[in-house]
Amino acid sequence: QVQLVESGGGLVQPGGSLRLSCKASGFTLDYYNIGWFRQAPDKEREGVSCINFRHSYMYYADSVKGRFTISRDNAKNKVFLQMNSLKLEDTAVYYCAAYRTFLEPTCASGVAMYDYWGQGTQVTVSS
């Protein structure tokens, strides 16, 4: 059974940090591009970051550039999102997602390409 499971969300004060993890099971991530998305109440799901299968290309939304870092450990079948200097507007449910690459050098920042999705983990930034 193909599954992505996020963890690491929680409540944090502004300026704090969290590290999200995404564990894949039922398939190996070696030839998959991975994205992190978030969805706040009454807003559309938006792309936060993605990383290609070669670890050679990473994308960050302007709103998180310089604060978030995406990484992956294919040996552990995991992807991570390190979130620093968190702001109130980062509050959302965070999802990881994956799609089989066609060996392209980039990764997709939009939701349309992604085939597999996790159930999401809540991140709340509040004082």
Side-chain angles (χ1 to χ4, degrees):
Q1 181 184 0
V2 172
Q3 203 171 14
L4 293 170
V5 179
E6 303 94 337
S7 61
L11 174 63
V12 64
Q13 291 186 340
S17 297
L18 284 173
R19 188 188 193 214
L20 304 184
S21 297
C22 174
K23 169 70 174 174
S25 59
F27 69 110
T28 57
L29 290 177
D30 293 26
Y31 289 98
Y32 282 79
N33 291 345
I34 309 298
W36 282 98
F37 296 81
R38 67 186 181 186
Q39 189 165 19
D42 299 323
K43 291 192 176 180
E44 290 190 359
R45 192 168 298 189
E46 64 171 347
V48 173
S49 181
C50 70
I51 184 168
N52 74 344
F53 74 108
R54 286 198 177 107
H55 309 215
S56 60
Y57 177 87
M58 283 81 80
Y59 159 84
Y60 297 97
D62 288 343
S63 57
V64 306
K65 212 170 283 184
R67 300 188 297 121
F68 290 12
T69 303
I70 191 170
S71 61
R72 60 191 294 165
D73 184 339
N74 284 4
K76 295 182 178 179
N77 232 23
K78 282 187 171 182
V79 182
F80 306 97
L81 186 68
Q82 178 67 42
M83 306 188 296
N84 298 329
S85 303
L86 282 161
K87 303 177 180 180
L88 296 175
E89 52 265 39
D90 294 318
T91 295
V93 178
Y94 283 71
Y95 301 88
C96 69
Y99 70 95
R100 186 69 158 83
T101 180
F102 294 98
L103 306 183
E104 69 274 24
T106 60
C107 53
S109 59
V111 300
M113 289 293 295
Y114 291 84
D115 298 314
Y116 304 123
W117 290 83
Q119 83 291 345
T121 185
Q122 177 70 48
V123 171
T124 302
V125 184
S126 175
S127 54

